[in-house]
Amino acid sequence: MPTGVRVGTDVVALIRNTYDDSFNGWELSADVDFDRFYLAVDWGSWARAFNPDGNDYANDGSYYRVGADVNFLTKDPEKNMFFIGARYGNTNFSETLITTKIDPVFGDISSTYTNSDLQGHWFELTTGLRVKMWKMIWLGYTARFKFGLKTNETGDMMPFDVPGYGTTDKQSTWGFNYLILVRLPLPKKK
Amino acid sequence: MGFRALKYLYGPNMGMKKITGYLLLLTLAVSCLDDPDCYQLNNNVLILNYKILGGQNDQVPFIGIETPASDSVFNALTISGSARLPLNPTAEQMEFSIVDFYANHNLSFSYSRQIQFVSEECGERYYYSALNVLGHDYDSVRIVNSTPQPETSGNANIEIYRCPRTNLAGIQFKQIINSQVVADTVVLLNVDVGFSTPIFVPNDTIQTINVPLNPNAATTTILFTLKTPTGSVTKSVTVTYARITKELFERCGVQTLFTDLDVSATDFSDYTVLKDSIQDLPVMNLEVIQ
C-alpha cells in the first residue's frame, strides 16, 4: 500500500524564468510509493522565443512524462531515496518561424513557417535523489538521459525545440530537474 | 559495496542534504550551457559531375550557368568536370540553362526542402532532399545521390553523360631551341578547318589545342593564325585519315571513327604523328614544329 504522495515543482524552471528571456515554463512532479517502486508523473509547460537578426522563432506547448523509479535505499528510516527509473514523455506543441533575409544568390527571402498541433514523444532513463529536509518538505534532483524522439511534422519546417525534451539537434540529450516537494502521507490501512 | 555504500556516503542525512543543496547551484550553472554550437548544416548545393558515356570523366569548357531565379552566372568561363548549382530556398523546383562551348543545355529538377531554426547564433538552416530530375536534353543523366550536399562537399548528386566526340585531334605546338625540340607557347588568333564546327580556342597562351576533323571528307586542312610580335602568320597542316562508322552506344547512334592519321602537307617546319587514332578525352595525335 502507498504510504504517501510527493508533489512538487522544478526549481530550475522557476528560476530560469527570471534570467532567461527566451524561456517561459514550469513543471510539476508527483510520485507515489509502492514499496521500493514509485509511480512518477511530471507535467509541464514550455515556451521559448528567439529573435536573432533575420529570424523570429517561438514555440509553445505542454508535456507530460510518466514512468517508474526503483529506490535503492530501502532501509533508510526517513525513506530518503536514491533511484533509477524510466519515463515515457509526450508533448503537444506548436512553433512558428518568420525568416527575413537577403540571400546573396536569390535576393530577398521572407517567409513564415508554422507547425501547429505537433505531437512528439520520447523515452528517458532517470536517476536521482529525494531527501527529506524538514517535516513534509523534501528536496531532490532528477538527471535524465533522453532519447528516441519522434515528432509528426509534415510541413516545410522541422522542429527546433520540443517542450520537455529540448533542442532536436542531437539524437539524445540530457536534462536535469531540481525539485522542491511536499510529501503528503496517505492514511494507513486498518 | 553496492548501493549500501550510497547510504554510507550520504548518510545519516546531513551529508545527503548538503549534496542536494550543492547540486542546485551546479544545476543552475549547467542550465546556462544548453545552447548548441553554431555549425554549418545547409545542404543547399546540387553537384553535377560530367562524364563521357563509357564512364570516363569529362572536362567541360563552361561559358556559364544561369537560372531564372537569380541574376548570378555560375561556372562562368571555367573548364571543369563538375558544376555546383545553388538551390532556391523559396522554391521546390528549378530550371538551369547550362551553356558550354559545344552546346546549350537545359536541366530542371525538383526537390523537397525544410527549414529549421538552429540557434540564436546560427539562425535558420535549410535541409534539402528527394532530388528528382524533371527534364533535360543531355545524352544521359543519372541521379547518384538524391540528397543535396553542403557547400564544402565534393560528392556528386547527378552524373551527366554525353556521347563521345570522335573527331577531336590533339595537336601540340613545338619549337627547336639549341637543336632540342621543346614545347612552344603560342597565341592563336584563329583556327579554320574548312567546315562548320565549333572550335574551342582558349583566349590565352597555349601549347596544345584540340581540332575537329571533317567526318565528311578524307582530309582536313587546318589553318592556324598565330600571333607574332609584328602581327600574325597563318600556317596550315593537312591531316589525312581513314574513317569507319560504328555504333559505340545505342543512345549515340552511328558515329564516325578516325584512324590512320597522317599529315600529307604542312608549312610548319616539321611534324610528328604521336598517335594515329582519336580518343575522347582527346590525346595528342600530332606535334607541329615551328
Side-chain angles (χ1 to χ4, degrees):
Chain A
M1 280 297 293
T3 61
V5 175
R6 273 190 300 241
V7 179
T9 186
D10 179 22
V11 178
V12 175
L14 295 180
I15 295 177
R16 194 173 175 187
N17 284 323
T18 66
Y19 72 86
D20 185 349
D21 293 336
S22 72
F23 179 82
N24 187 8
W26 48 262
E27 182 175 316
L28 299 178
S29 298
D31 65 8
V32 58
D33 62 316
F34 295 91
D35 190 23
R36 66 182 298 194
F37 301 100
Y38 286 71
L39 173 66
V41 177
D42 306 314
W43 178 46
S45 171
W46 175 309
R48 301 200 76 177
F50 298 97
N51 308 98
D53 288 345
N55 286 289
D56 192 345
Y57 173 86
N59 73 353
D60 191 8
S62 61
Y63 62 93
Y64 67 84
R65 304 186 198 97
V66 60
D69 296 324
V70 182
N71 181 18
F72 290 92
L73 300 183
T74 53
K75 295 181 180 176
D76 190 295
E78 300 275 22
K79 283 190 169 290
N80 289 320
M81 185 181 177
F82 167 76
F83 67 89
I84 292 175
R87 301 281 189 278
Y88 166 78
N90 191 291
T91 181
N92 188 300
F93 68 106
S94 61
E95 59 181 353
T96 301
L97 174 63
I98 301 170
T99 179
T100 306
K101 70 174 187 176
I102 299 175
D103 185 276
V105 174
F106 297 105
D108 292 342
I109 293 175
S110 179
S111 300
T112 299
Y113 302 89
T114 301
N115 277 331
S116 56
D117 200 25
L118 273 187
Q119 297 278 337
H121 64 90
W122 68 94
F123 299 94
E124 298 181 359
L125 297 176
T126 59
T127 186
L129 293 175
R130 299 286 185 269
V131 179
K132 183 178 180 179
M133 302 301 287
W134 179 70
K135 294 189 176 178
M136 297 167 65
I137 306 300
W138 290 60
L139 292 179
Y141 71 86
T142 303
R144 308 173 182 282
F145 176 69
K146 310 177 191 182
F147 61 97
L149 175 68
K150 301 282 186 193
T151 53
N152 68 342
E153 78 280 1
T154 57
D156 289 343
M157 179 163 61
M158 290 187 287
F160 159 62
D161 184 76
V162 176
Y165 181 88
T167 55
T168 59
D169 57 327
K170 302 182 188 74
Q171 296 287 321
S172 59
T173 187
W174 293 90
F176 200 91
N177 298 106
Y178 192 94
L179 301 163
I180 182 167
L181 303 133
V182 175
R183 186 173 187 276
L184 305 171
L186 295 174
K188 292 180 181 176
K189 188 178 180 181
K190 294 179 181 176
Chain B
M1 280 174 58
F3 290 110
R4 291 174 186 278
L6 282 166
K7 187 177 177 185
Y8 172 77
L9 290 170
Y10 292 140
N13 268 348
M14 286 310 294
M16 212 165 177
K17 288 176 182 176
K18 283 180 182 174
I19 286 173
T20 310
Y22 292 147
L23 277 169
L24 174 61
L25 299 175
L26 179 65
T27 303
L28 292 175
V30 170
S31 67
C32 299
L33 303 175
D34 68 343
D35 286 330
D37 294 334
C38 195
Y39 48 98
Q40 173 66 30
L41 287 174
N42 286 313
N43 64 331
N44 55 350
V45 175
L46 185 149
I47 299 177
L48 308 179
N49 261 15
Y50 285 83
K51 289 180 173 284
I52 304 166
L53 279 170
Q56 193 177 355
N57 293 329
D58 194 11
Q59 285 289 307
V60 180
F62 288 102
I63 293 173
I65 301 175
E66 294 182 278
T67 174
S70 172
D71 295 332
S72 302
V73 179
F74 312 101
N75 274 40
L77 302 177
T78 58
I79 300 175
S80 175
S82 64
R84 307 169 77 84
L85 308 183
L87 299 181
N88 187 349
T90 63
E92 290 196 333
Q93 68 180 59
M94 294 186 75
E95 297 174 16
F96 280 89
S97 171
I98 302 170
V99 181
D100 65 45
F101 185 77
Y102 296 103
N104 298 356
H105 291 286
N106 294 300
L107 175 67
S108 61
F109 49 83
S110 64
Y111 49 86
S112 296
R113 51 115 173 76
Q114 287 184 296
I115 193 171
Q116 183 180 38
F117 186 74
V118 175
S119 73
E120 215 160 4
E121 293 77 16
C122 305
E124 84 290 352
R125 73 157 177 150
Y126 293 91
Y127 178 76
Y128 298 88
S129 60
L131 177 67
N132 187 35
V133 174
L134 299 176
H136 69 88
D137 55 5
Y138 285 101
D139 293 325
S140 183
V141 160
R142 184 168 75 109
I143 295 176
V144 292
N145 184 352
S146 64
T147 302
Q149 301 292 308
E151 286 181 14
T152 53
S153 172
N155 298 325
N157 294 109
I158 297 176
E159 288 180 345
I160 292 179
Y161 291 85
R162 66 164 173 81
C163 291
R165 295 188 187 105
T166 59
N167 69 332
L168 284 181
I171 296 179
Q172 197 164 24
F173 295 96
K174 296 277 186 162
Q175 61 183 328
I176 298 174
I177 298 177
N178 297 330
S179 304
Q180 297 287 318
V181 177
V182 296
D184 193 7
T185 302
V186 301
V187 175
L188 278 175
L189 300 177
N190 190 42
V191 179
D192 183 7
V193 291
F195 69 103
S196 178
T197 183
I199 305 174
F200 179 54
V201 182
N203 186 24
D204 201 354
T205 57
I206 58 170
Q207 295 182 343
T208 65
I209 187 168
N210 301 321
V211 180
L213 303 179
N214 189 345
N216 299 314
T219 65
T220 298
T221 299
I222 307 163
L223 300 175
F224 294 107
T225 304
L226 300 156
K227 187 177 180 181
T228 64
T230 56
S232 65
V233 62
T234 298
K235 293 192 173 186
S236 69
V237 57
T238 299
V239 181
T240 63
Y241 40 81
R243 290 164 291 160
I244 56 172
T245 54
K246 189 173 182 181
E247 184 179 282
L248 297 173
F249 300 96
E250 185 179 354
R251 184 170 293 275
C252 305
V254 175
Q255 294 185 279
T256 301
L257 308 183
F258 296 76
T259 61
D260 302 330
L261 267 64
D262 205 349
V263 173
S264 61
T266 182
D267 46 17
F268 284 92
S269 62
D270 202 357
Y271 70 90
T272 305
V273 176
L274 302 174
K275 187 169 181 61
D276 69 352
S277 60
I278 301 291
Q279 292 184 11
D280 188 13
L281 297 168
V283 294
M284 288 301 109
N285 297 99
L286 187 65
E287 66 179 27
V288 290
I289 302 166
Q290 295 205 64

